[in-house]
Amino acid sequence: MELTEYTEADVALHNQPSDCWVIVNGLVLDVSAYMEKHPGGKQLIFRSAGLDVSRDFAAMFHSTRAKAKLEELCVGISFAGGF
């Protein structure tokens, strides 16, 4: 499966509760529907809407199951730069 490439600027546009994307380790994730289910609370995710949260994700303990969830939420990949 080929993934769509997004710039950080593209991801930054998705910064609303109903349209919330983040970047984790180069993966662009649509976490809109997942926010309500996040064990750390939806505010924790929403504060990072539209941002690269790779450092935060790495700094917090995440189970193997949580890491596998990234694939389910993935809508593309991120690259630095723009068009």
CSV table of all heavy atoms in Angstrom, one decimal, residues 8-70:
chain,number,residue,atom,x,y,z
A,8,GLU,N,4.7,19.0,7.1
A,8,GLU,CA,4.3,19.4,8.4
A,8,GLU,C,3.3,20.5,8.3
A,8,GLU,O,2.4,20.5,9.1
A,8,GLU,CB,5.5,19.8,9.2
A,8,GLU,CG,6.4,18.7,9.6
A,8,GLU,CD,7.6,19.1,10.5
A,8,GLU,OE1,7.8,20.3,10.7
A,8,GLU,OE2,8.3,18.2,11.0
A,9,ALA,N,3.4,21.3,7.3
A,9,ALA,CA,2.4,22.4,7.1
A,9,ALA,C,1.0,21.8,6.8
A,9,ALA,O,0.0,22.3,7.2
A,9,ALA,CB,2.8,23.3,6.0
A,10,ASP,N,1.0,20.7,6.0
A,10,ASP,CA,-0.3,20.0,5.7
A,10,ASP,C,-0.9,19.5,6.9
A,10,ASP,O,-2.1,19.6,7.2
A,10,ASP,CB,-0.1,18.8,4.7
A,10,ASP,CG,0.4,19.2,3.3
A,10,ASP,OD1,0.1,20.3,2.8
A,10,ASP,OD2,1.1,18.4,2.8
A,11,VAL,N,-0.1,18.8,7.8
A,11,VAL,CA,-0.6,18.2,9.0
A,11,VAL,C,-1.1,19.3,10.0
A,11,VAL,O,-2.1,19.1,10.6
A,11,VAL,CB,0.5,17.3,9.6
A,11,VAL,CG1,0.0,16.8,11.0
A,11,VAL,CG2,0.8,16.2,8.7
A,12,ALA,N,-0.4,20.4,10.0
A,12,ALA,CA,-0.8,21.5,10.9
A,12,ALA,C,-2.2,22.0,10.6
A,12,ALA,O,-2.9,22.6,11.6
A,12,ALA,CB,0.2,22.7,10.8
A,13,LEU,N,-2.7,21.9,9.4
A,13,LEU,CA,-4.1,22.3,9.1
A,13,LEU,C,-5.2,21.4,9.8
A,13,LEU,O,-6.3,21.9,9.9
A,13,LEU,CB,-4.3,22.3,7.6
A,13,LEU,CG,-3.4,23.2,6.8
A,13,LEU,CD1,-3.6,22.9,5.3
A,13,LEU,CD2,-3.7,24.7,7.1
A,14,HIS,N,-4.8,20.3,10.3
A,14,HIS,CA,-5.7,19.3,10.9
A,14,HIS,C,-5.6,19.5,12.4
A,14,HIS,O,-5.0,18.6,13.1
A,14,HIS,CB,-5.4,17.9,10.4
A,14,HIS,CG,-5.6,17.7,9.0
A,14,HIS,ND1,-6.8,17.4,8.4
A,14,HIS,CD2,-4.7,17.9,8.0
A,14,HIS,CE1,-6.6,17.3,7.1
A,14,HIS,NE2,-5.3,17.6,6.8
A,15,ASN,N,-6.1,20.6,12.9
A,15,ASN,CA,-5.9,20.9,14.3
A,15,ASN,C,-7.2,21.2,15.1
A,15,ASN,O,-7.3,22.0,16.0
A,15,ASN,CB,-5.0,22.1,14.4
A,15,ASN,CG,-5.6,23.3,13.7
A,15,ASN,OD1,-6.7,23.3,13.3
A,15,ASN,ND2,-4.8,24.4,13.7
A,16,GLN,N,-8.3,20.5,14.7
A,16,GLN,CA,-9.6,20.6,15.3
A,16,GLN,C,-10.0,19.3,15.9
A,16,GLN,O,-9.6,18.3,15.5
A,16,GLN,CB,-10.6,21.1,14.3
A,16,GLN,CG,-10.3,22.4,13.7
A,16,GLN,CD,-10.2,23.5,14.7
A,16,GLN,OE1,-11.1,23.7,15.6
A,16,GLN,NE2,-9.2,24.3,14.6
A,17,PRO,N,-10.9,19.3,17.0
A,17,PRO,CA,-11.3,18.0,17.6
A,17,PRO,C,-11.9,17.0,16.6
A,17,PRO,O,-11.6,15.8,16.7
A,17,PRO,CB,-12.3,18.4,18.6
A,17,PRO,CG,-12.0,19.8,19.0
A,17,PRO,CD,-11.4,20.4,17.7
A,18,SER,N,-12.6,17.5,15.6
A,18,SER,CA,-13.2,16.6,14.6
A,18,SER,C,-12.3,16.3,13.4
A,18,SER,O,-12.6,15.5,12.6
A,18,SER,CB,-14.5,17.2,14.1
A,18,SER,OG,-14.2,18.5,13.4
A,19,ASP,N,-11.1,16.9,13.4
A,19,ASP,CA,-10.1,16.7,12.3
A,19,ASP,C,-8.8,16.9,12.9
A,19,ASP,O,-8.2,18.0,12.8
A,19,ASP,CB,-10.4,17.7,11.2
A,19,ASP,CG,-9.4,17.6,10.1
A,19,ASP,OD1,-8.9,16.4,9.8
A,19,ASP,OD2,-9.2,18.6,9.4
A,20,CYS,N,-8.3,15.9,13.6
A,20,CYS,CA,-7.1,16.0,14.4
A,20,CYS,C,-6.0,15.0,13.9
A,20,CYS,O,-6.2,13.8,14.1
A,20,CYS,CB,-7.4,15.8,15.9
A,20,CYS,SG,-6.0,16.0,17.0
A,21,TRP,N,-4.9,15.6,13.4
A,21,TRP,CA,-3.8,14.7,12.9
A,21,TRP,C,-2.6,15.1,13.7
A,21,TRP,O,-2.4,16.2,14.2
A,21,TRP,CB,-3.5,15.0,11.5
A,21,TRP,CG,-4.5,14.5,10.5
A,21,TRP,CD1,-5.8,14.1,10.7
A,21,TRP,CD2,-4.4,14.5,9.1
A,21,TRP,NE1,-6.4,13.7,9.6
A,21,TRP,CE2,-5.5,14.0,8.5
A,21,TRP,CE3,-3.3,14.8,8.2
A,21,TRP,CZ2,-5.7,13.8,7.2
A,21,TRP,CZ3,-3.5,14.6,6.9
A,21,TRP,CH2,-4.7,14.1,6.3
A,22,VAL,N,-1.7,14.1,13.9
A,22,VAL,CA,-0.4,14.3,14.5
A,22,VAL,C,0.6,13.5,13.7
A,22,VAL,O,0.2,12.6,12.9
A,22,VAL,CB,-0.4,13.9,16.0
A,22,VAL,CG1,-1.3,14.7,16.8
A,22,VAL,CG2,-0.7,12.4,16.2
A,23,ILE,N,1.9,13.7,14.0
A,23,ILE,CA,3.0,12.9,13.3
A,23,ILE,C,3.7,12.2,14.5
A,23,ILE,O,4.1,12.8,15.5
A,23,ILE,CB,4.0,13.9,12.6
A,23,ILE,CG1,3.3,14.7,11.5
A,23,ILE,CG2,5.1,13.0,12.0
A,23,ILE,CD1,4.1,15.8,10.9
A,24,VAL,N,3.9,10.9,14.3
A,24,VAL,CA,4.7,10.1,15.2
A,24,VAL,C,5.7,9.3,14.3
A,24,VAL,O,5.3,8.5,13.5
A,24,VAL,CB,3.8,9.1,16.0
A,24,VAL,CG1,4.7,8.3,16.9
A,24,VAL,CG2,2.9,9.9,16.9
A,25,ASN,N,7.0,9.6,14.5
A,25,ASN,CA,8.0,8.8,13.8
A,25,ASN,C,7.8,8.8,12.3
A,25,ASN,O,8.0,7.7,11.7
A,25,ASN,CB,8.2,7.4,14.4
A,25,ASN,CG,8.5,7.4,15.9
A,25,ASN,OD1,9.2,8.4,16.3
A,25,ASN,ND2,8.0,6.4,16.6
A,26,GLY,N,7.4,9.9,11.7
A,26,GLY,CA,7.3,10.0,10.3
A,26,GLY,C,5.9,9.5,9.8
A,26,GLY,O,5.6,9.7,8.6
A,27,LEU,N,5.1,9.0,10.6
A,27,LEU,CA,3.7,8.6,10.2
A,27,LEU,C,2.7,9.7,10.5
A,27,LEU,O,2.8,10.3,11.6
A,27,LEU,CB,3.3,7.3,11.0
A,27,LEU,CG,4.2,6.0,10.8
A,27,LEU,CD1,3.6,4.9,11.7
A,27,LEU,CD2,4.2,5.6,9.3
A,28,VAL,N,1.9,9.9,9.6
A,28,VAL,CA,0.8,10.9,9.8
A,28,VAL,C,-0.4,10.1,10.3
A,28,VAL,O,-0.9,9.2,9.6
A,28,VAL,CB,0.5,11.7,8.6
A,28,VAL,CG1,-0.7,12.6,8.8
A,28,VAL,CG2,1.7,12.5,8.1
A,29,LEU,N,-0.9,10.5,11.5
A,29,LEU,CA,-2.0,9.8,12.1
A,29,LEU,C,-3.2,10.7,12.2
A,29,LEU,O,-3.2,11.8,12.7
A,29,LEU,CB,-1.6,9.3,13.5
A,29,LEU,CG,-0.3,8.6,13.6
A,29,LEU,CD1,0.0,8.3,15.1
A,29,LEU,CD2,-0.3,7.3,12.9
A,30,ASP,N,-4.4,10.1,11.9
A,30,ASP,CA,-5.7,10.8,12.1
A,30,ASP,C,-6.2,10.2,13.5
A,30,ASP,O,-6.6,9.1,13.5
A,30,ASP,CB,-6.7,10.5,11.0
A,30,ASP,CG,-8.0,11.2,11.2
A,30,ASP,OD1,-8.3,11.7,12.3
A,30,ASP,OD2,-8.8,11.2,10.3
A,31,VAL,N,-6.1,11.1,14.5
A,31,VAL,CA,-6.4,10.6,15.8
A,31,VAL,C,-7.8,11.2,16.3
A,31,VAL,O,-8.1,11.1,17.5
A,31,VAL,CB,-5.3,11.0,16.9
A,31,VAL,CG1,-4.1,10.2,16.6
A,31,VAL,CG2,-5.0,12.5,16.9
A,32,SER,N,-8.5,11.7,15.4
A,32,SER,CA,-9.8,12.4,15.7
A,32,SER,C,-10.7,11.5,16.4
A,32,SER,O,-11.2,11.8,17.5
A,32,SER,CB,-10.5,12.8,14.4
A,32,SER,OG,-9.7,13.6,13.6
A,33,ALA,N,-11.0,10.3,15.9
A,33,ALA,CA,-11.9,9.3,16.6
A,33,ALA,C,-11.3,8.7,17.8
A,33,ALA,O,-12.0,8.2,18.7
A,33,ALA,CB,-12.4,8.3,15.6
A,34,TYR,N,-10.0,8.6,17.8
A,34,TYR,CA,-9.3,7.9,18.9
A,34,TYR,C,-9.2,8.8,20.2
A,34,TYR,O,-9.0,8.2,21.3
A,34,TYR,CB,-7.9,7.5,18.5
A,34,TYR,CG,-7.1,6.7,19.6
A,34,TYR,CD1,-7.5,5.4,19.9
A,34,TYR,CD2,-6.1,7.3,20.2
A,34,TYR,CE1,-6.9,4.8,20.9
A,34,TYR,CE2,-5.4,6.6,21.2
A,34,TYR,CZ,-5.8,5.3,21.6
A,34,TYR,OH,-5.1,4.7,22.5
A,35,MET,N,-9.3,10.1,20.1
A,35,MET,CA,-9.0,11.0,21.2
A,35,MET,C,-9.9,10.6,22.5
A,35,MET,O,-9.4,10.6,23.6
A,35,MET,CB,-9.3,12.4,20.9
A,35,MET,CG,-8.2,13.0,20.1
A,35,MET,SD,-8.3,14.8,20.0
A,35,MET,CE,-9.8,15.1,19.3
A,36,GLU,N,-11.1,10.2,22.2
A,36,GLU,CA,-12.0,9.9,23.3
A,36,GLU,C,-11.6,8.6,24.0
A,36,GLU,O,-11.9,8.4,25.2
A,36,GLU,CB,-13.5,9.7,22.8
A,36,GLU,CG,-14.1,11.0,22.3
A,36,GLU,CD,-14.4,12.0,23.5
A,36,GLU,OE1,-14.6,11.5,24.6
A,36,GLU,OE2,-14.5,13.2,23.2
A,37,LYS,N,-10.9,7.7,23.3
A,37,LYS,CA,-10.4,6.4,23.9
A,37,LYS,C,-9.0,6.5,24.5
A,37,LYS,O,-8.6,5.5,25.1
A,37,LYS,CB,-10.5,5.4,22.8
A,37,LYS,CG,-11.8,5.2,22.1
A,37,LYS,CD,-11.7,4.3,20.9
A,37,LYS,CE,-13.1,4.3,20.2
A,37,LYS,NZ,-12.9,3.8,18.9
A,38,HIS,N,-8.3,7.5,24.3
A,38,HIS,CA,-6.9,7.6,24.7
A,38,HIS,C,-6.8,7.6,26.3
A,38,HIS,O,-7.5,8.3,26.9
A,38,HIS,CB,-6.3,8.9,24.2
A,38,HIS,CG,-4.8,9.0,24.5
A,38,HIS,ND1,-4.3,9.8,25.5
A,38,HIS,CD2,-3.8,8.4,24.0
A,38,HIS,CE1,-3.0,9.7,25.6
A,38,HIS,NE2,-2.6,8.9,24.6
A,39,PRO,N,-6.1,6.6,26.8
A,39,PRO,CA,-6.0,6.4,28.2
A,39,PRO,C,-5.5,7.7,29.0
A,39,PRO,O,-5.9,7.9,30.1
A,39,PRO,CB,-5.0,5.3,28.4
A,39,PRO,CG,-5.0,4.5,27.1
A,39,PRO,CD,-5.3,5.6,26.1
A,40,GLY,N,-4.7,8.5,28.3
A,40,GLY,CA,-4.2,9.7,28.9
A,40,GLY,C,-5.2,10.9,28.8
A,40,GLY,O,-4.9,12.0,29.3
A,41,GLY,N,-6.3,10.7,28.2
A,41,GLY,CA,-7.3,11.7,28.0
A,41,GLY,C,-7.2,12.4,26.7
A,41,GLY,O,-6.1,12.5,26.1
A,42,LYS,N,-8.3,12.9,26.2
A,42,LYS,CA,-8.3,13.6,24.9
A,42,LYS,C,-7.6,14.9,24.9
A,42,LYS,O,-7.0,15.3,23.9
A,42,LYS,CB,-9.8,13.7,24.4
A,42,LYS,CG,-10.6,14.7,25.2
A,42,LYS,CD,-12.0,14.8,24.6
A,42,LYS,CE,-12.9,15.7,25.5
A,42,LYS,NZ,-14.3,15.7,25.0
A,43,GLN,N,-7.5,15.6,26.0
A,43,GLN,CA,-6.8,16.9,26.0
A,43,GLN,C,-5.4,16.7,25.7
A,43,GLN,O,-4.7,17.6,25.1
A,43,GLN,CB,-7.1,17.6,27.3
A,43,GLN,CG,-8.4,18.3,27.4
A,43,GLN,CD,-8.6,19.3,26.4
A,43,GLN,OE1,-9.4,19.0,25.4
A,43,GLN,NE2,-8.0,20.4,26.5
A,44,LEU,N,-4.8,15.6,26.2
A,44,LEU,CA,-3.4,15.3,26.0
A,44,LEU,C,-3.1,15.3,24.5
A,44,LEU,O,-2.1,15.8,24.0
A,44,LEU,CB,-3.0,14.0,26.7
A,44,LEU,CG,-1.5,13.7,26.7
A,44,LEU,CD1,-0.7,14.7,27.5
A,44,LEU,CD2,-1.3,12.3,27.3
A,45,ILE,N,-3.9,14.6,23.8
A,45,ILE,CA,-3.7,14.5,22.3
A,45,ILE,C,-4.1,15.9,21.6
A,45,ILE,O,-3.3,16.4,20.8
A,45,ILE,CB,-4.6,13.4,21.7
A,45,ILE,CG1,-4.0,12.0,22.2
A,45,ILE,CG2,-4.6,13.5,20.2
A,45,ILE,CD1,-4.8,10.9,21.6
A,46,PHE,N,-5.2,16.5,22.0
A,46,PHE,CA,-5.7,17.7,21.3
A,46,PHE,C,-4.7,18.8,21.5
A,46,PHE,O,-4.5,19.6,20.6
A,46,PHE,CB,-7.0,18.1,21.8
A,46,PHE,CG,-7.6,19.3,21.0
A,46,PHE,CD1,-7.8,19.1,19.7
A,46,PHE,CD2,-7.8,20.5,21.6
A,46,PHE,CE1,-8.2,20.2,18.9
A,46,PHE,CE2,-8.2,21.6,20.9
A,46,PHE,CZ,-8.5,21.4,19.5
A,47,ARG,N,-3.9,18.9,22.6
A,47,ARG,CA,-2.9,19.9,22.8
A,47,ARG,C,-1.8,19.8,21.7
A,47,ARG,O,-1.1,20.8,21.4
A,47,ARG,CB,-2.2,19.8,24.1
A,47,ARG,CG,-3.0,20.4,25.3
A,47,ARG,CD,-2.2,20.6,26.5
A,47,ARG,NE,-1.5,19.3,26.9
A,47,ARG,CZ,-1.8,18.6,27.9
A,47,ARG,NH1,-2.7,19.0,28.8
A,47,ARG,NH2,-1.1,17.5,28.2
A,48,SER,N,-1.7,18.7,21.1
A,48,SER,CA,-0.6,18.4,20.1
A,48,SER,C,-1.2,18.4,18.7
A,48,SER,O,-0.5,17.9,17.8
A,48,SER,CB,0.1,17.1,20.4
A,48,SER,OG,0.7,17.2,21.7
A,49,ALA,N,-2.4,18.7,18.5
A,49,ALA,CA,-3.1,18.6,17.2
A,49,ALA,C,-2.3,19.4,16.1
A,49,ALA,O,-1.9,20.5,16.3
A,49,ALA,CB,-4.5,19.2,17.3
A,50,GLY,N,-2.0,18.7,15.0
A,50,GLY,CA,-1.3,19.3,13.9
A,50,GLY,C,0.2,19.3,14.1
A,50,GLY,O,0.9,19.9,13.3
A,51,LEU,N,0.8,18.7,15.1
A,51,LEU,CA,2.2,18.7,15.4
A,51,LEU,C,2.9,17.4,15.3
A,51,LEU,O,2.2,16.3,15.3
A,51,LEU,CB,2.4,19.3,16.8
A,51,LEU,CG,1.8,20.6,17.2
A,51,LEU,CD1,2.0,21.0,18.6
A,51,LEU,CD2,2.5,21.7,16.3
A,52,ASP,N,4.2,17.4,15.3
A,52,ASP,CA,5.0,16.2,15.4
A,52,ASP,C,5.2,15.9,16.9
A,52,ASP,O,5.8,16.7,17.6
A,52,ASP,CB,6.4,16.4,14.7
A,52,ASP,CG,7.2,15.2,14.6
A,52,ASP,OD1,7.1,14.3,15.5
A,52,ASP,OD2,8.0,15.0,13.6
A,53,VAL,N,4.7,14.8,17.3
A,53,VAL,CA,4.7,14.4,18.7
A,53,VAL,C,5.6,13.2,18.9
A,53,VAL,O,5.5,12.5,19.9
A,53,VAL,CB,3.3,14.1,19.3
A,53,VAL,CG1,2.5,15.4,19.2
A,53,VAL,CG2,2.6,13.0,18.5
A,54,SER,N,6.6,13.0,18.0
A,54,SER,CA,7.5,11.8,18.1
A,54,SER,C,8.2,11.8,19.5
A,54,SER,O,8.3,10.7,20.1
A,54,SER,CB,8.5,11.8,17.0
A,54,SER,OG,7.8,11.8,15.7
A,55,ARG,N,8.8,12.9,19.9
A,55,ARG,CA,9.5,12.9,21.2
A,55,ARG,C,8.6,12.6,22.3
A,55,ARG,O,9.0,11.9,23.2
A,55,ARG,CB,10.1,14.3,21.4
A,55,ARG,CG,11.4,14.5,20.6
A,55,ARG,CD,12.0,15.8,21.0
A,55,ARG,NE,13.1,16.1,20.1
A,55,ARG,CZ,14.0,17.1,20.2
A,55,ARG,NH1,13.8,17.9,21.3
A,55,ARG,NH2,15.0,17.2,19.4
A,56,ASP,N,7.4,13.2,22.3
A,56,ASP,CA,6.5,13.0,23.4
A,56,ASP,C,6.0,11.5,23.5
A,56,ASP,O,6.0,10.9,24.5
A,56,ASP,CB,5.2,13.8,23.3
A,56,ASP,CG,5.5,15.3,23.4
A,56,ASP,OD1,6.5,15.7,24.1
A,56,ASP,OD2,4.8,16.1,22.8
A,57,PHE,N,5.8,10.9,22.3
A,57,PHE,CA,5.4,9.5,22.2
A,57,PHE,C,6.5,8.6,22.8
A,57,PHE,O,6.3,7.7,23.5
A,57,PHE,CB,5.0,9.1,20.8
A,57,PHE,CG,4.4,7.8,20.6
A,57,PHE,CD1,3.0,7.6,20.8
A,57,PHE,CD2,5.2,6.7,20.4
A,57,PHE,CE1,2.5,6.3,20.7
A,57,PHE,CE2,4.6,5.4,20.2
A,57,PHE,CZ,3.3,5.2,20.4
A,58,ALA,N,7.7,8.9,22.4
A,58,ALA,CA,8.9,8.1,22.8
A,58,ALA,C,9.1,8.3,24.3
A,58,ALA,O,9.6,7.3,25.0
A,58,ALA,CB,10.1,8.5,22.0
A,59,ALA,N,8.8,9.5,24.9
A,59,ALA,CA,9.1,9.7,26.3
A,59,ALA,C,8.1,9.1,27.2
A,59,ALA,O,8.5,8.8,28.4
A,59,ALA,CB,9.1,11.3,26.5
A,60,MET,N,7.0,8.8,26.7
A,60,MET,CA,5.9,8.1,27.6
A,60,MET,C,5.9,6.6,27.3
A,60,MET,O,6.2,6.2,26.2
A,60,MET,CB,4.6,8.7,27.3
A,60,MET,CG,4.4,10.2,27.5
A,60,MET,SD,4.7,10.7,29.2
A,60,MET,CE,3.3,9.9,30.0
A,61,PHE,N,5.6,5.8,28.3
A,61,PHE,CA,5.5,4.4,28.1
A,61,PHE,C,4.3,4.1,27.2
A,61,PHE,O,3.2,4.6,27.5
A,61,PHE,CB,5.3,3.7,29.4
A,61,PHE,CG,5.0,2.2,29.2
A,61,PHE,CD1,6.0,1.3,28.8
A,61,PHE,CD2,3.7,1.8,29.3
A,61,PHE,CE1,5.6,0.0,28.6
A,61,PHE,CE2,3.3,0.4,29.1
A,61,PHE,CZ,4.3,-0.4,28.7
A,62,HIS,N,4.5,3.4,26.2
A,62,HIS,CA,3.4,2.9,25.3
A,62,HIS,C,3.6,1.4,25.1
A,62,HIS,O,4.7,1.0,24.7
A,62,HIS,CB,3.4,3.7,23.9
A,62,HIS,CG,2.9,5.1,24.0
A,62,HIS,ND1,3.7,6.1,24.2
A,62,HIS,CD2,1.7,5.5,24.0
A,62,HIS,CE1,3.0,7.2,24.3
A,62,HIS,NE2,1.8,6.9,24.1
A,63,SER,N,2.5,0.7,25.3
A,63,SER,CA,2.5,-0.7,25.2
A,63,SER,C,2.7,-1.1,23.7
A,63,SER,O,2.5,-0.3,22.8
A,63,SER,CB,1.2,-1.3,25.7
A,63,SER,OG,0.2,-0.9,24.9
A,64,THR,N,3.0,-2.4,23.5
A,64,THR,CA,3.0,-2.9,22.1
A,64,THR,C,1.7,-2.7,21.4
A,64,THR,O,1.7,-2.4,20.2
A,64,THR,CB,3.4,-4.5,22.2
A,64,THR,OG1,4.6,-4.6,22.9
A,64,THR,CG2,3.5,-5.0,20.8
A,65,ARG,N,0.6,-2.9,22.2
A,65,ARG,CA,-0.7,-2.7,21.6
A,65,ARG,C,-0.9,-1.2,21.1
A,65,ARG,O,-1.4,-1.0,20.1
A,65,ARG,CB,-1.7,-3.1,22.6
A,65,ARG,CG,-3.1,-3.1,22.1
A,65,ARG,CD,-4.1,-3.7,23.2
A,65,ARG,NE,-5.3,-2.9,23.2
A,65,ARG,CZ,-6.1,-2.9,24.2
A,65,ARG,NH1,-5.9,-3.6,25.3
A,65,ARG,NH2,-7.2,-2.2,24.1
A,66,ALA,N,-0.4,-0.3,22.0
A,66,ALA,CA,-0.5,1.1,21.6
A,66,ALA,C,0.3,1.4,20.4
A,66,ALA,O,-0.1,2.2,19.5
A,66,ALA,CB,0.0,2.0,22.8
A,67,LYS,N,1.5,0.8,20.3
A,67,LYS,CA,2.4,1.1,19.1
A,67,LYS,C,1.7,0.5,17.9
A,67,LYS,O,1.8,1.0,16.8
A,67,LYS,CB,3.7,0.5,19.4
A,67,LYS,CG,4.5,1.3,20.4
A,67,LYS,CD,5.8,0.6,20.8
A,67,LYS,CE,6.4,1.4,21.9
A,67,LYS,NZ,7.6,0.8,22.5
A,68,ALA,N,1.0,-0.7,18.0
A,68,ALA,CA,0.4,-1.3,16.9
A,68,ALA,C,-0.8,-0.4,16.4
A,68,ALA,O,-1.2,-0.4,15.2
A,68,ALA,CB,-0.1,-2.7,17.2
A,69,LYS,N,-1.4,0.3,17.3
A,69,LYS,CA,-2.5,1.2,17.0
A,69,LYS,C,-2.1,2.3,16.0
A,69,LYS,O,-2.9,2.8,15.2
A,69,LYS,CB,-3.0,1.9,18.3
A,69,LYS,CG,-4.3,2.7,18.1
A,69,LYS,CD,-5.4,1.7,18.0
A,69,LYS,CE,-6.7,2.5,18.0
A,69,LYS,NZ,-7.8,1.7,17.5
A,70,LEU,N,-0.8,2.6,16.0
A,70,LEU,CA,-0.3,3.7,15.1
A,70,LEU,C,-0.6,3.3,13.6
A,70,LEU,O,-1.0,4.1,12.8
A,70,LEU,CB,1.2,3.9,15.2
A,70,LEU,CG,1.7,4.4,16.6
A,70,LEU,CD1,3.2,4.5,16.6
A,70,LEU,CD2,1.0,5.7,17.0
